[in-house]
Amino acid sequence: MVKPGLPKLIATDLDGTLVRSDDTVSPYTHEVLDRVRAAGIRVVGATGRGPRLTGLTRTDIRAAEFLVLAQGAWVIDQSHPDEPVTLHTRRLSGRALAGILADLEAAVGPLSVLVEALDYDDAPLWGDRDPTWRYPVVIEERPREVCVAVDVIKAFARCADCDVDDLLATAQRIVPPEVASVTQAGMNYIEICPPGVDKGAGLAVVTQSIGVDPGDVLVFGDMPNDLPMFAWAGWGRVAVANAHPSVLAAADEVTLANDADGVAVFLDKLLSR
């Protein structure tokens, strides 16, 4: 169960959690988040989206003072909107990524791979053009050797012949944590990130900068990439009803699905205590 009273900070995942399946955030959700912030509770968007989607992320969670992007590799303080400050950045070496991909392909067969190497808004991804990619994005087709010739923010990998959860389990078995962290966020791709990078570590950067204890943090999520922040946050962990089974199992409570504004409904009730 979540604690009595109110948390000092709430952090929420976006896609599949705060954002509905039509890629919108309801006016009701924005209004509730504004009231959360007016109550003195800090608001953080914690997402797998990389810095190339910073503008979209700001639109989807306007009340956020901080953004934890790229699974925790990129942390932005936007409490002063005219002068946002990047608090933390991490990259994965291209050489390490090349080795990881070679080991994975030896285990599961050919992979479709995209890398996020550029950090400006609306930057393209590089790699294999894949028709299964759900979101509109500019993809610059580049051979693998070019994609791994630079350090990257993260990489996406898909196996046509295996389930994404099975691919993740294989990657977690093969890839040492000191080489890279691997997760999946619900797009049929695993994500390969710098070592030590996850949403819990990204949120720790935020809380250390403002003096908030993890025991005072409430988090919302839906996919395995949210599990590290569920393990880290101490005030409460809430899954939306459409969440992955692993997230439902880790949650203290389950709210309505993202399409029913589950995060906002939960917070609205919390504020009315």
Side-chain angles (χ1 to χ4, degrees), residues 62-91:
R62 298 191 300 252
E65 294 179 73
F66 295 87
L67 299 179
V68 173
L69 303 170
Q71 311 296 7
W74 226 262
V75 181
I76 298 174
D77 176 354
Q78 51 180 29
S79 54
H80 302 286
D82 294 335
E83 298 181 68
V85 176
T86 301
L87 299 178
H88 177 76
T89 66
R90 290 286 305 279
R91 286 181 177 265

Side-chain angles (χ1 to χ4, degrees), residues 33-77:
L33 288 173
D34 286 342
R35 284 196 280 119
V36 167
R37 186 165 173 175
I41 302 169
R42 316 301 281 265
V43 177
V44 180
T47 178
R49 298 176 184 180
R52 66 188 176 86
L53 296 175
T54 301
L56 175 63
T57 302
R58 286 176 174 147
T59 297
D60 284 343
I61 185 162
R62 298 191 300 252
E65 294 179 73
F66 295 87
L67 299 179
V68 173
L69 303 170
Q71 311 296 7
W74 226 262
V75 181
I76 298 174
D77 176 354

Side-chain angles (χ1 to χ4, degrees), residues 5-243:
L6 294 173
K8 293 182 179 178
L9 183 148
I10 72 105
T12 180
D13 172 57
L14 297 183
D15 299 301
T17 302
L18 193 77
V19 179
R20 300 179 293 191
S21 54
D22 65 357
D23 298 329
T24 65
V25 177
S26 73
Y28 168 63
T29 293
H30 284 304
E31 184 269 332
V32 170
L33 288 173
D34 286 342
R35 284 196 280 119
V36 167
R37 186 165 173 175
I41 302 169
R42 316 301 281 265
V43 177
V44 180
T47 178
R49 298 176 184 180
R52 66 188 176 86
L53 296 175
T54 301
L56 175 63
T57 302
R58 286 176 174 147
T59 297
D60 284 343
I61 185 162
R62 298 191 300 252
E65 294 179 73
F66 295 87
L67 299 179
V68 173
L69 303 170
Q71 311 296 7
W74 226 262
V75 181
I76 298 174
D77 176 354
Q78 51 180 29
S79 54
H80 302 286
D82 294 335
E83 298 181 68
V85 176
T86 301
L87 299 178
H88 177 76
T89 66
R90 290 286 305 279
R91 286 181 177 265
L92 174 66
S93 86
R95 183 175 182 177
L97 176 60
I100 291 165
L101 295 173
D103 290 346
L104 279 174
E105 289 188 319
V108 304
L111 296 170
S112 174
V113 176
L114 290 165
V115 302
E116 183 166 348
L118 305 174
D119 59 14
Y120 58 85
D121 226 16
D122 297 322
L125 298 176
W126 298 345
D128 303 319
R129 190 172 298 279
D130 192 325
T132 69
W133 185 270
R134 176 181 179 275
Y135 297 102
V137 65
V138 176
I139 294 175
E140 292 183 0
E141 293 187 74
R142 298 192 179 199
R144 181 79 58 84
E145 59 268 23
V146 173
C147 292
V148 299
V150 298
D151 296 347
V152 302
I153 298 165
K154 63 176 177 173
F156 304 86
R158 185 179 74 87
C159 173
D161 298 323
C162 54
D163 176 80
V164 66
D165 284 332
D166 293 337
L167 179 59
L168 178 61
T170 299
Q172 289 175 331
R173 175 173 55 84
I174 289 175
V175 181
E178 65 271 17
V179 174
S181 61
V182 290
T183 190
Q184 74 101 342
M187 296 195 301
N188 294 322
Y189 288 78
I190 63 166
E191 300 190 17
I192 305 167
C193 303
V197 163
D198 60 48
K199 289 188 181 183
L203 284 172
V205 172
V206 173
T207 56
Q208 288 165 13
S209 75
I210 58 176
V212 170
D213 189 273
D216 292 316
V217 177
L218 167 65
V219 295
F220 297 86
D222 75 315
M223 292 303 293
N225 63 319
D226 296 316
L227 290 172
M229 72 174 180
F230 271 44
W232 172 86
W235 197 91
R237 297 153 288 267
V238 181
V240 285
N242 53 290

